[in-house]
Amino acid sequence: MSVHVAVDLGASSGRVMVGSAGPGVLGLEEVHRFANGPVPVAGSWFTDAVGLWQQVRTGLRAVARHTADASSVAVDTWAVDYGLLAADGTLLGTPRHYRDGRTDGVAERVHARVPALDLYRRNGLQHLPFTTLYQLVTEGRLLELADRLLLLPDLFGHWLADVQGAEATNASTTGMADVRTGRWAPDLVDLAGIRPGLLPPVHDPGTVLGGLRREVLADSGLGAGTRLVAVGSHDTASAVVAVPAQDEAFAYIACGTWGLVGVELEEPVLSADSFAANFTNERGVDDRIRYLRNVMGLWVLQQCVAEWEAEPGQRGPVDLTALLAAAADVAPGGTLVDVDDPRLLPPGPMVARVRTLVEEAGGRAPAARAEVVRCVLESLAAAFARSVADAVRLSGRDVRVVHLVGGGARNGLLCRLTADACGLPVVAGPVEATALGNVLVQARAAGDLPGSLETLRALVRQTADLVTVPPRTGTALQHTNGGVS
């Protein structure tokens, strides 16, 4: 079996992993992990792309010390963000982060030109104020200077190998790709106010893009035969590859900083009801449609924990295990909040925002840390259940099990609350679904694994540590026909 390197850059942390896959075998080992997050500068939020590149280089050196036989490297990151390059390949400024407030009100300006429902029927995307199309409307002069736009995973791929392209799963999140073809749509590109040539050609997951740059090989110590391979470069697309489903009757929750909740389909759903429910149609590996809704995910909890760790008198990190145990003992039935309230989107102190939302909903603001955590997780589980119910209703897909993958699979309380809210069993794991999906697509491209997406998932099911959490009787939202309502 070949050895493959997964560079997995999430919104709150990054990691460089080494993996291999073959019939009956799937291995993954972390060689480098590092923190990540939006960086505040003068009231705006940026992505430290150069700092992340330094971490990637450190990780590749660790890979070379670990093994001399890495055959390929692939990068996945979060969606919608990008870098702009000059004609000589120079990065034009530090990329803005999607949590920056520069896109406030931009969607409304765009929809004054093209009605939102008409736009939905072209690009298939739910309304998110930070979609790439809306970000580009704010760029102004910088776009005139730019020769090329590269989405973040493609930017790091360009720095690894001298190639410029756009991987299809991530391109589908920009608002500028045709939902039916997965390729750039000239009318949507024009709506963003950019020249068509600014965008590189689109390629599919599994494409071998070429050898690494000589300077990258020299710096890292990797072998000359190491190739850059395209995978599902939107991290959720890679995570969905590693969902250990037995058949199509499943919903998934890719839960980390965000919670992506949906089902997998063969064709997009572009109805007015789907638009009203704010569901998105993003491209997946093997041309599947990831029909899903973005839910705020663990972001709110992460920000609460960061706030508590910064309090005077707090010694060291918050003991999250003990805090979750205390939250499990809090009586259920408290007032829930809308975890997708836009006031929860920006970074910064979060506890007061949660308490305000509880009071606005007519409840008593949670006081103790454990009460805040219980409120956040119960609210998040309820949002997950509503999204599963809507996915069933809108797509017609039967759902008999919910797979919760990613970092949220470690959170036993969240998994239990989600099973209870859905009235369906929750299968938790794998935790490193994104990196596993990344490695699986690389392995298939190398010829180590034959077959379909279902074959890859069977291997995950056979080798991963999975925990099934059944729903407790009487705790679910109304459950009908395999779904939740």
Side-chain angles (χ1 to χ4, degrees):
M1 291 181 296
S2 305
V3 175
H4 309 286
V5 182
V7 178
D8 175 22
L9 304 179
S12 58
S13 66
R15 60 208 62 81
V16 178
M17 315 281 276
V18 173
S20 56
V25 179
L26 177 58
L28 188 68
E29 185 175 351
E30 179 183 302
V31 296
H32 184 52
R33 180 177 288 264
F34 45 94
N36 183 35
V39 179
V41 180
S44 297
W45 294 93
F46 293 84
T47 293
D48 183 11
V50 174
L52 289 175
W53 172 241
Q54 292 293 82
Q55 295 288 359
V56 171
R57 292 175 61 215
T58 298
L60 294 181
R61 295 187 203 110
V63 170
R65 292 193 297 270
H66 181 86
T67 177
D69 298 323
S71 67
S72 64
V73 179
V75 183
D76 65 76
T77 78
W78 65 95
V80 306
D81 286 350
Y82 56 89
L84 295 171
L85 301 182
D88 63 358
T90 304
L91 183 64
L92 294 173
T94 303
R96 289 286 188 99
H97 196 277
Y98 67 85
R99 292 192 187 273
D100 185 70
R102 66 177 174 152
T103 56
D104 292 348
V106 171
E108 290 73 18
R109 287 159 45 194
V110 171
H111 297 162
R113 296 175 57 193
V114 178
L117 179 56
D118 292 349
L119 188 60
Y120 184 74
R121 287 174 171 156
R122 290 290 289 119
N123 63 26
L125 298 188
Q126 72 181 110
H127 172 68
L128 293 170
F130 45 73
T131 296
T132 313
L133 187 154
Y134 303 138
Q135 291 194 48
L136 287 169
V137 171
T138 72
E139 286 288 5
R141 173 68 176 162
L142 201 58
L143 286 178
E144 299 176 17
L145 301 174
D147 183 71
R148 184 69 88 191
L149 181 152
L150 294 180
L151 297 167
L152 280 189
D154 305 314
L155 176 65
F156 290 107
H158 172 61
W159 288 343
L160 285 166
D162 192 12
V163 294
Q164 294 185 11
E167 187 277 319
T169 69
N170 216 8
S172 76
T173 72
T174 64
M176 296 180 290
D178 186 307
V179 67
R180 292 177 177 85
T181 67
R183 267 41 185 178
W184 303 124
D187 58 323
L188 299 177
V189 173
D190 180 68
L191 188 62
I194 63 174
R195 307 183 307 278
L198 196 66
L199 299 174
V202 177
H203 53 256
D204 293 319
T207 303
V208 179
L209 298 173
L212 302 188
R213 294 175 182 266
R214 283 180 294 179
E215 59 267 30
V216 171
L217 294 174
D219 178 69
S220 66
L222 293 173
T226 310
R227 297 288 183 263
L228 179 69
V229 173
V231 294
S233 69
H234 181 198
D235 51 11
T236 306
S238 277
V240 172
V241 170
V243 169
Q246 289 187 303
D247 54 39
E248 66 180 20
F250 71 94
Y252 58 82
I253 303 172
C255 182
T257 300
W258 285 94
L260 296 308
V261 187
V263 294
E264 188 174 73
L265 303 174
E266 289 71 42
E267 299 292 337
V269 179
L270 304 173
S271 66
D273 285 345
S274 179
F275 167 75
N278 212 28
F279 263 73
T280 202
N281 297 268
E282 296 174 357
R283 216 156 191 86
V285 171
D286 291 358
D287 288 330
R288 308 291 174 90
I289 297 295
R290 293 179 287 119
Y291 184 63
L292 61 88
R293 178 189 284 147
N294 280 49
V295 177
M296 197 69 78
L298 291 171
W299 167 254
V300 177
L301 178 60
Q302 291 168 349
Q303 291 294 287
C304 287
V305 170
E307 181 178 346
W308 290 325
E309 289 181 341
E311 287 181 350
Q314 174 68 36
R315 296 182 178 179
V318 166
D319 186 341
L320 189 56
T321 300
L323 187 54
L324 290 172
D329 292 334
V330 173
T335 301
L336 304 184
V337 301
D338 177 9
V339 292
D340 293 321
D341 189 294
R343 286 172 286 182
L344 301 180
L345 180 65
M350 187 67 70
V351 175
R353 286 182 264 175
V354 172
R355 288 172 174 156
T356 296
L357 291 178
V358 171
E359 290 174 340
E360 289 178 357
R364 178 187 64 83
R369 290 180 179 181
E371 292 177 329
V372 173
V373 171
R374 180 75 184 217
C375 172
V376 169
L377 293 183
E378 280 194 345
S379 300
L380 184 55
F384 287 165
R386 286 193 299 270
S387 296
V388 171
D390 285 343
V392 169
R393 173 177 60 86
L394 295 164
S395 71
R397 175 73 84 204
D398 184 39
V399 169
R400 295 190 293 270
V401 63
V402 176
H403 287 275
L404 198 155
V405 302
R410 290 194 183 101
N411 191 319
L413 178 57
L414 176 61
C415 294
R416 175 165 65 77
L417 293 172
T418 301
D420 290 347
C422 290
L424 292 167
V426 166
V427 177
V431 171
E432 294 291 356
T434 300
L436 284 171
N438 181 317
V439 165
L440 285 165
V441 172
Q442 289 188 69
R444 191 172 66 171
D448 296 339
L449 282 173
S452 65
L453 203 51
E454 286 69 29
T455 302
L456 303 185
R457 288 172 174 159
L459 180 59
V460 177
R461 199 164 59 248
Q462 179 184 351
T463 57
D465 293 327
L466 307 174
V467 176
T468 299
V469 183
R472 295 176 297 181
T473 304
T475 56
L477 300 176
Q478 184 182 350
H479 173 53
T480 57
N481 298 326
V484 184
S485 62

